[in-house]
Amino acid sequence: RPGTRMDPGPGSNNKKHKKGGNATTNSKTKVEATGTVEKVKGDVMEKISTSATSGKLKYPMAIITGFFTPEVDIRPLVGRKVWIPSTQEEGKIAGPFGKAGKCKVTFDGGISEASVGSKAELHTVSET
């Protein structure tokens, strides 16, 4: 579906850019594409207690959809920064997940279950 994800063009430089910036991120980065956190994976890294509730769980990896079309080869993009604005968590692309354009993203500090269904941003560092 053209327009919803990064579409591969004749060259590999056709990428969707979002105008504006996120005030909490570095001014040298730009949002290249947006997607959605589909699910979190891996063993629980830590459990944060918050009052009488069961607490928040942190996981090392998430599956993100919407960044790429199925035709895009994700492997050259491994290591690119991914930002979850709602939970202020930052990760890096670890590789493709399946054949539908999904990708695995690792989070050194972990990603919370609360981020499932949240918006994710793929950032690129400008050369200037």
Side-chain angles (χ1 to χ4, degrees):
R1 298 177 303 195
T4 59
R5 301 178 186 153
M6 289 176 36
D7 295 320
S12 61
N13 293 334
N14 288 350
K15 296 181 180 170
K16 185 192 268 188
H17 290 283
K18 178 180 174 183
K19 292 188 178 184
N22 187 344
T24 60
T25 60
N26 189 340
S27 62
K28 292 184 180 182
T29 63
K30 293 182 182 179
V31 177
E32 190 170 332
T34 58
T36 306
V37 179
E38 183 175 288
K39 60 185 169 182
V40 292
K41 293 186 67 129
D43 295 332
V44 175
M45 292 174 65
E46 63 182 275
K47 183 175 181 179
I48 303 170
S49 297
T50 57
S51 68
T53 62
S54 60
K56 295 180 182 178
L57 303 176
K58 292 267 196 173
Y59 295 86
M61 186 179 301
I63 305 302
I64 310 287
T65 61
F67 282 164
F68 311 104
T69 59
E71 296 83 20
V72 174
D73 184 14
I74 298 172
R75 289 179 295 233
L77 303 172
V78 168
R80 297 283 290 276
K81 178 182 167 186
V82 176
W83 178 252
I84 312 297
S86 63
T87 56
Q88 305 290 305
E89 294 166 328
E90 181 179 327
K92 293 183 179 182
I93 294 179
F97 183 80
K99 296 181 180 180
K102 299 177 187 178
C103 64
K104 294 185 285 191
V105 177
T106 57
F107 293 84
D108 291 336
I111 183 168
S112 63
E113 286 182 317
S115 61
V116 174
S118 298
K119 174 180 155 185
E121 299 174 345
L122 176 64
H123 285 254
T124 181
V125 177
S126 66
E127 298 296 324
T128 58

